[in-house]
Structure formats: C-alpha cells, structure tokens
Amino acid sequence: MKLRTKTTLTVLILTLFMFSALQIITYVTLEPNTHRIETQETIQKIEIAKNLIEYRTSDLEVKVSDYAFWDDTYEYVQNKNEEYILSNFVDSTFENLQLNCVVIVNNQIEVIYQQEYDLGASIKYDIDRETQEFLIDCPHIWNFQYKDNAISGLMLVENKPMMIATSPVLSSDKQGPIMGGMLFGKFLDNVELNRLNSIVDFNFTLSTTTDLEMNEQNIVQELLLSGQKNTLKEQNQSVIIGYSLIEDVHSNPSFMLTVYNERIIHQQSILMGNVFSLSTIGISVIIGLILLVLLEKEVVKPMRKLSEYVEEISLNPNYSVPKLSSTEEIDIVSNAVRDTLKRKIEGMLEVSRIVAHDLRNPLAGIRNATYYLKKKYSLLMDKDGQAMLKTIDDCVVYSDNIVQNLIDYSSEIKLYKVKTTPKKLVERTLSKFIKPNNIEIIDETSNEVIIAIDTPKMEQVLTNLVTNSFDAMQSGGTLRITNKEMKKSIRIELIDTGVGMSKAVIEKLYTPFFTTKSKGLGIGLSICKRIIEAHEGKIEVESTEGKGTKFSIILPKTE
C-alpha cells in the first residue's frame, strides 16, 4: 500500500471513529431529551395562550354583565331613551372598555342599538347590515337559559376573529323579566395579539381556518382526522411551531392558534455537539500534523511545488508539467495533470472548430445578404430601413468577434516576431480607434527602444486595454501611454483616470469568462495574458476605485 494511502486511511479511520462515537452519544442522550422538553414546553405555551384568550373573553363577559344588569339599560330597551346612549356609549366608553362592537337587541332579537368603534383611529361607525344580520341569525348567543346567564367565546366577524360576550338585559337587582340582550365584542387583531404576546413573553397568532396557507390547511386536516388537540412542527433550527384548533361559540373548529417557541434548549444541545465535534477535529488535526511533519520531505514539499505550478498553468499546448523528483504518488499526479491539460485543450480546439463551422458560415451569409440589400434597395429605403441594415451589420461584426475570441482563447499561440518600437506599435493601435471627444490621449512612447514582437497579436493586446480604458472613462478623462526601459526588459504602461477597480475584481481579472460588463464573454484579458506570456513577458495591474487604473506590459529587451 502506498505511503499516502496509509497515512490518509490512518487519520481518516481515527477521525471517523472518534466523530462517530461522539455523534452517537449526542443523538442517543441529548436529542431525545431535548425533543421531549421542547414538546412539553410548546404544549405548555399553547395552553397558556388558550387560557389567556379565555381570560380576556371572561373579562369581556364581566363587562357586558355590568351594563346589561342595570336599570338604565333595562329602561332603554323598553322606551329607547336616546339620552341613555348619549351618556353611556361615548368614545371614552369604548376606549376604556377596549371594545370594538356593542349591540343591544329586544326579546324579538331586533337590533335597537348597534355601534362599531375603531380603537386605532378612534372613530365610530355603524355596523354594516350584513354583520348585523349575521349576529342576529346566531340564536345561540341570544338563547339565555336563565336570568344571569352570560355567553362568551370567539366568533368570525367581518372575516376576523372576535371575542364576544352576551348577557340578558335585567334590572340592577337581576330581576326580570328579560328585556332582550346586550353584546360586547373585541377583535383579536394584530394590535390585540401583540398586547397579549407582551403579557406571556412569547409569540402566538390566531387565524381563521379559511385563510390559512396550503401547508397549514393540511395541519388542520391532520388535527381533525386524528382527533388530537395539538400538533408540533419544526420550522427551522431556531423555532418550533405549535398548532391547536380553537372552537367558536358554536363549537366549530373555526380558528387556528399558532405558537412560536424558540428552541433555546435545542440550540444549546447543538452547541454541545459542535464542541464535541470541534474537539474531535482538533485531536485529529494534531495527530494529522504529527504525521504530516514526518512525511514533509517525501510528499508535502513535492506536492506543494506541483500545486503552485498548477495554479499558474495556462491553457497553452506548449506548457508542460515539470519533472518533479519525488515519490510514485507525485509522478501519478504529474501525469494526470499533463493528460488532463492535453484532453482539455483538444476539447477546446474541437469546440472552436465546430463554432467556426456552424456560426461563421451563417454570419457570412447574413453579411452578404445585407450587402445585397444595401446595393439593390438602399435608395428605396427610408432612414429607419437603412438604420436596421446598419444594426444587422454591427451585430454580425459583434458575433464574429465573439467567435474569433473563442478561437483565440482555446488555440495554440504561434508567434511571428518582427522588430519594431513601442511608438509604432501604439500608433498602429490608436489608428483603429475613433477617439471620444471627452477623452484625451497622451502618447509618450518612443522610437528609441527596439522590441521583438508578433505585431498583430500585441496590437490585439493594446486594443483590448485601450477599449477597457475608454469604457472606464464614460464621463471623460485622460489616457496616458508611456514606455520605460529597464535593465533587461521594456515596460509599456497604459494609465487612465477612469472609475478604477476593486480588489475583488482585480483578483478575478484574468479568470476566463469573468466580466463586469453587460456584453462580452470575459476572455479578452485572459487572451492578453496568454499572448504576453507567449512573448516571455508578464502583465501587471494597479487600480484605485474612483481614481483610475494602470496596466503594465513587461516584455524582454531585444539586443
């Protein structure tokens, strides 16, 4: 067995054994207990929320009884004295009692007084007829079995849950006969629910079963079919949700109580598990480091050299993996890198050939057709028609450039060097551009320095860099091009005053298919880098956001 395999298996088996042992302990001991405690805690909070709603409903029952068992109310039902309403049901009454609705009916269940009140806006308004008819058509809430019998519970009013309490209208000494009934109502809206949440110090909501989402509708069906009072669902690692059906005054399961319980205990158990896991990893790392130190000379250093080379390797068939004097394992990796690189380049070349065949011929056909239309029918076309033909031409040129970039990127770079000067190179490049009016170009290159380059390919590099500078100076600026003679090299610098680049963009600048522009493939700078490296040179960049960018092309000096 190979040395690397032995080392890897030893560390892996030890890590897995320790990690598995700790995980088993965690799941066998912590998880069941945590789940049991969370279940009990959530059910307890469901009961607390139910009891709180029942308490508020009972409190409403006491309030309505105070008004219903009163001589003034008793007389009002009989003679409809408006002074009673003006004196007793002013805005402050609704505010102090926290009521949204008051209804008084006679023994024939006919409404003799109704009023709805918006506690948030402090506005009174009449209860709409549909709601009145709904309340009147609920005989259960007006069917008082005995004199001081009050009825309370939840009802769905105006498509919202409302706590209601009704009481028979009697004299102050609770003597009859019953002269009708009185209803007090309080909406369980968000404001009221927030007030209740602050009392119990946890969050819960109350929704109608008809307004629930699909997953909650399924929970309602689950509770109804199973006959269970409550059910729990894990929302995420932080919250567990408890659901319970709440019956209305007609004993129908019309509301869903939802309680949100923070999983503090669960998070603590996760923390403990993480501590165990980190301890396992720490011990394994220490053991692994000890073993790796012993293998440093035979394995680690050669692997590091190979890794550094792989990071710098270019998609160029002329590049080859250097011979590393090391173990058999390193030789296998080295051969694998060489074979993978060869297959990758061959695949790219094949794709390029397919692209050239399948796209260039149709593009040529489009270009010829456009030329024919221009020659034959241009005089018959209006300005819009001629503009459309120009647009087609521009799109063909743009598409042809994309195809050419793909071919350049994936093909082997062959150089045909000639001697020239930086001045001539820059002048030939700039002659291809139409200079924007708001950009100043300063050419400070010279003819005194001789460089041996493949002129078309280096013009391609400069064209790409100049285009990028123009794009970075949409609001205007200056592009300065200079050359400097170093001891063994020539440095050509392009300095613009554009928007600059962030460090994150610079780190990915030469990554194939990375671009910050809305158009293009993002391989232009990758091709530039390959061309410069083929000249045994290198490219450097310095940039400051908001100030500008400097690209430096460093080429060997020609004797």
Side-chain angles (χ1 to χ4, degrees), residues 237-298:
Q237 293 294 328
S238 302
V239 177
I240 187 170
I241 303 179
Y243 299 94
S244 182
L245 289 177
I246 305 293
E247 295 181 346
D248 60 14
V249 292
H250 304 100
S251 300
N252 295 322
S254 301
F255 305 100
M256 170 76 86
L257 176 66
T258 307
V259 173
Y260 300 88
N261 185 24
E262 294 184 6
R263 306 182 69 183
I264 298 176
I265 298 176
H266 177 72
Q267 292 171 352
Q268 290 174 344
S269 68
I270 291 177
L271 178 61
M272 293 178 64
N274 290 338
V275 170
F276 290 155
S277 299
L278 289 174
S279 300
T280 303
I281 294 172
I283 295 172
S284 301
V285 167
I286 293 172
I287 295 174
L289 287 175
I290 294 173
L291 294 174
L292 288 175
V293 168
L294 297 176
L295 298 172
E296 177 76 17
K297 196 171 183 179
E298 291 293 328

Side-chain angles (χ1 to χ4, degrees), residues 294-395:
L294 297 176
L295 298 172
E296 177 76 17
K297 196 171 183 179
E298 291 293 328
V299 176
V300 176
K301 285 185 178 180
M303 284 293 291
R304 187 181 294 116
K305 290 179 181 179
L306 182 61
S307 176
E308 291 173 355
Y309 173 79
V310 171
E311 289 179 1
E312 297 295 330
I313 200 166
S314 174
L315 290 176
N316 191 327
N318 294 327
Y319 275 77
S320 60
V321 180
K323 179 64 179 177
L324 299 175
S325 178
S326 58
T327 60
E328 180 184 352
E329 289 81 3
I330 302 299
D331 289 337
I332 293 174
V333 174
S334 176
N335 293 333
V337 170
R338 182 167 50 250
D339 294 342
T340 301
L341 179 61
K342 182 179 178 181
R343 288 195 300 271
K344 189 170 185 179
I345 293 176
E346 289 175 351
M348 286 187 171
L349 291 173
E350 181 63 25
V351 169
S352 299
R353 285 191 290 270
I354 294 173
V355 169
H357 180 270
D358 290 349
L359 291 182
R360 276 203 160 154
N361 290 339
L363 289 175
I366 295 172
R367 183 184 288 110
N368 293 335
T370 307
Y371 175 78
Y372 176 80
L373 291 174
K374 281 183 179 179
K375 186 175 180 180
K376 188 78 174 177
Y377 300 106
S378 61
L379 297 177
L380 302 177
M381 291 184 181
D382 57 11
K383 291 183 178 179
D384 291 339
Q386 293 177 358
M388 290 301 295
L389 288 177
K390 185 178 184 305
T391 300
I392 295 173
D393 270 341
D394 293 341
C395 290

Side-chain angles (χ1 to χ4, degrees), residues 112-244:
I112 59 175
Y113 173 73
Q114 53 79 22
Q115 191 68 68
E116 193 162 348
Y117 188 81
D118 188 336
L119 291 169
S122 299
I123 297 174
K124 281 183 180 179
Y125 50 90
D126 291 337
I127 302 175
D128 62 73
R129 181 168 297 278
E130 183 179 351
T131 304
Q132 290 186 46
E133 292 176 354
F134 171 73
L135 294 173
I136 292 172
D137 290 339
C138 295
H140 175 74
I141 63 176
W142 307 109
N143 185 19
F144 307 112
Q145 300 297 324
Y146 45 89
K147 289 182 179 181
D148 59 351
N149 175 215
I151 300 170
S152 62
L154 295 175
M155 286 187 67
L156 184 61
V157 179
E158 297 179 5
N159 205 32
K160 294 183 289 186
M162 173 184 276
M163 298 181 293
I164 63 103
T166 59
S167 175
V169 176
L170 299 171
S171 60
S172 298
D173 56 1
K174 300 183 181 179
Q175 297 300 314
I178 295 174
M179 280 298 168
M182 177 177 281
L183 177 147
F184 280 3
K186 175 71 175 74
F187 282 118
L188 266 173
D189 53 14
N190 290 334
V191 175
E192 181 64 16
L193 286 172
N194 289 336
R195 186 180 294 113
L196 299 181
N197 287 341
S198 65
I199 294 174
V200 296
D201 199 26
F202 62 84
N203 294 328
F204 69 88
T205 60
L206 188 71
S207 308
T208 61
T209 54
T210 56
D211 291 337
L212 298 176
E213 296 181 358
M214 182 60 68
N215 60 327
E216 293 176 326
Q217 291 282 3
N218 294 335
I219 293 172
V220 171
Q221 295 297 324
E222 177 186 329
L223 288 171
L224 291 174
L225 293 174
S226 65
Q228 296 178 342
K229 293 183 178 180
N230 312 306
T231 186
L232 309 181
K233 303 292 182 182
E234 293 183 5
Q235 185 182 37
N236 50 47
Q237 293 294 328
S238 302
V239 177
I240 187 170
I241 303 179
Y243 299 94
S244 182

Side-chain angles (χ1 to χ4, degrees), residues 47-63 152 163 192 196 199:
E47 295 303 319
I48 291 173
K50 285 183 178 179
N51 291 337
L52 181 58
I53 295 174
E54 289 178 3
Y55 169 78
R56 297 303 289 264
T57 305
S58 300
D59 180 62
L60 199 63
E61 187 177 313
V62 172
K63 292 176 181 178
S152 62
M163 298 181 293
E192 181 64 16
L196 299 181
I199 294 174

